[in-house]
Amino acid sequence: MDTLYQKFYKGFYLRTGGFLPTKPLNQNIYPGDFFQIINGEIMILGNIFRKAIVGPEQVIMDYGLKLNPANWNFSDGVTKPYAGRESGSNAIEGTFEFSKQVLKFKEPGSYMFKGEEPESIKISNWSDIKDELIVKLTQTIYSFRELYLVTECATNASWTLAIASHKHAELEIATGDENYGLVDIFGHSSSRTIQSKNIEYYHRQDNRVPSFFKARKLVVQQEKLETFISELITQRMNLQEWADDFFDYNFESSQTAHVPRYTEQAYSSVLDMLQANQLNPNTALLYFTWGDMSLDDIQKLFITYGDE
C-alpha cells in the first residue's frame, strides 16, 4: 500500500469524527489493543484485557453505539456522469431491465466510500484507567515510550471502497434490482461491476469486521516539553561562548548559523535525556499523558523505510 491511500485515510479521519481504518485494511482491531506504527503499518502488540494489564471488572464497555450514517458515506474527486435504467436480452431470460451507473475518478487517490449502519464499541470509563495504564505500560510491566491504545472500534453492516490508481479512472456498475431505480447503487449488495479502468482498490465487506478505530497515544506532558525546549534553546545561545573557551582553536562565529526549530516532535528527546531512575513508577504521570491520534499520526502510516 502506498500514498494512493493517503487521501482516503485523511478524509476518513475528518469525515467520521476521528475514526481511522486499519492499515493494512481489513485487519481486526479491538478496544484495548495497543500498537506502534512501524514502517508505515499498524503493528498490534497486545491487548490490555487479554494480557490482564487491567481487569475486566475495572472497565465499562458500551456496545452497539449508533453512529451517524451520513458521516460514513463520502468521496473525493469522484463524479457520476451517468445513472439510468437500461434494457438487455439473453437467450435464457429474454428481455430484462437493469440500473447502471458510471463513476469517474479525477486523479490518483480519488476515492468513494460507503458504510451501512455504522456502530461502535468503546471503553466508556477511560478516565478511570488511563493513569494506571501509563504507569503499567511505561514502567511496571512494559517500558514503552511511544504507543497507541485503541479506545473505540466501529463496524458496519457492510462497506464498500473504491480508490483510483491513475487519473481519469472509471467504474461502471449495474444492478437488476428494480427497487433501486435511478438512485446511487454504489455499495449495494446486488450491484455488479461491468467494467473498471485504472482502479487500484475495489472491495465490499459484507459483515461487521472491526476494521475502524479511535486511539489514544502516549505523549509527554506539555509542561515538561516546554521546559526541555527552553533549556535546549538556552544551550544553543551559549554554544559559541562555550566552544571558544573549551577548544584550543579560533572558531569564527557565523551570523547565519542554523538554530534548530524545536517542536513537539522533540518529545522523545525529553525522555532520552532523563538521568538514570529519574523516570520511575512514582514520576511517570509527571512525564506522560494521553493524547488523541491526529493527522500527524496518519502521516506516519505513509512513511516507509527500506524495501517493501
Side-chain angles (χ1 to χ4, degrees):
M1 186 181 295
D2 57 23
T3 54
L4 287 173
Y5 293 74
Q6 189 167 359
K7 184 183 294 185
F8 166 64
Y9 274 74
K10 289 182 177 180
F12 197 102
Y13 176 87
L14 295 172
R15 293 296 298 270
T16 62
F19 282 97
L20 275 175
T22 56
K23 190 172 183 286
L25 287 165
N26 294 330
Q27 181 177 188
N28 285 16
I29 197 164
Y30 304 97
D33 282 352
F34 52 91
F35 65 88
Q36 292 179 329
I37 298 176
I38 300 175
N39 201 30
E41 290 194 0
I42 293 171
M43 302 296 293
I44 297 175
L45 305 174
N47 185 286
I48 60 173
F49 306 120
R50 189 175 186 184
K51 290 184 174 292
I53 297 172
V54 295
E57 73 282 355
Q58 296 177 260
V59 179
I60 300 173
M61 301 292 299
D62 284 339
Y63 295 95
L65 298 173
K66 301 301 181 183
L67 303 173
N68 187 349
N71 295 341
W72 292 72
N73 186 358
F74 51 90
S75 63
D76 188 303
V78 179
T79 58
K80 306 170 184 178
Y82 176 81
R85 293 286 290 179
E86 298 187 1
S87 61
S89 63
N90 59 41
I92 299 176
E93 300 178 4
T95 301
F96 61 91
E97 288 191 348
F98 61 94
S99 295
K100 187 175 81 169
Q101 186 172 41
V102 176
L103 305 174
K104 287 187 176 294
F105 298 75
K106 181 180 179 180
E107 58 189 7
S110 294
Y111 65 86
M112 174 170 281
F113 175 85
K114 185 173 185 178
E116 300 281 355
E117 301 175 26
E119 59 183 43
S120 77
I121 305 95
K122 70 180 294 186
I123 300 172
S124 63
N125 66 330
W126 169 252
S127 61
D128 294 336
I129 63 172
K130 61 184 180 65
D131 288 351
E132 178 183 348
L133 286 171
I134 286 176
V135 175
K136 289 183 174 179
L137 292 171
T138 67
Q139 295 299 306
T140 60
I141 299 178
Y142 297 103
S143 56
F144 289 114
R145 297 294 180 264
E146 182 175 345
L147 192 71
Y148 300 85
L149 195 149
V150 177
T151 57
E152 185 174 4
C153 72
T155 67
N156 292 262
S158 67
W159 60 265
T160 308
L161 170 64
I163 300 177
S165 60
H166 296 83
K167 64 180 181 179
H168 306 313
E170 292 185 11
L171 184 62
E172 188 174 337
I173 53 180
T175 177
D177 195 322
E178 296 182 2
N179 294 331
Y180 293 129
L182 299 180
V183 303
D184 186 5
I185 62 176
F186 178 82
H188 288 293
S189 59
S190 64
S191 64
R192 298 292 181 268
T193 303
I194 299 176
Q195 63 178 358
S196 64
K197 173 186 175 183
N198 294 332
I199 297 297
E200 166 71 16
Y201 184 88
Y202 183 34
H203 178 75
R204 174 183 167 86
Q205 182 68 47
D206 287 317
N207 45 36
R208 290 193 174 276
V209 175
S211 298
F212 313 106
F213 68 95
K214 287 184 178 181
R216 300 293 181 92
K217 61 179 178 179
L218 279 177
V219 295
V220 171
Q221 290 276 13
Q222 186 66 28
E223 180 181 351
K224 295 293 184 182
L225 181 61
E226 290 175 354
T227 299
F228 176 71
I229 292 176
S230 177
E231 291 175 351
L232 286 180
I233 294 174
T234 300
Q235 291 174 20
R236 295 296 302 183
M237 291 175 62
N238 298 330
L239 179 61
Q240 183 65 37
E241 181 181 346
W242 170 83
D244 289 340
D245 290 340
F246 184 81
F247 296 104
D248 187 17
Y249 189 83
N250 185 25
F251 289 107
E252 294 184 2
S253 176
S254 171
Q255 298 300 318
T256 59
H258 173 67
V259 177
R261 179 176 176 267
Y262 298 108
T263 66
E264 290 193 9
Q265 297 302 321
Y267 79 92
S268 60
S269 299
V270 176
L271 306 175
D272 294 337
M273 294 292 288
L274 292 178
Q275 297 180 11
N277 202 38
Q278 190 173 349
L279 178 59
N280 56 61
N282 295 321
T283 63
L285 297 181
L286 298 176
Y287 288 93
F288 286 106
T289 188
W290 293 101
D292 293 323
M293 288 193 73
S294 66
L295 292 175
D296 289 337
D297 299 294
I298 297 175
Q299 189 68 30
K300 294 179 183 179
L301 291 171
F302 298 92
I303 298 175
T304 59
Y305 306 94
D307 296 329
E308 294 288 332

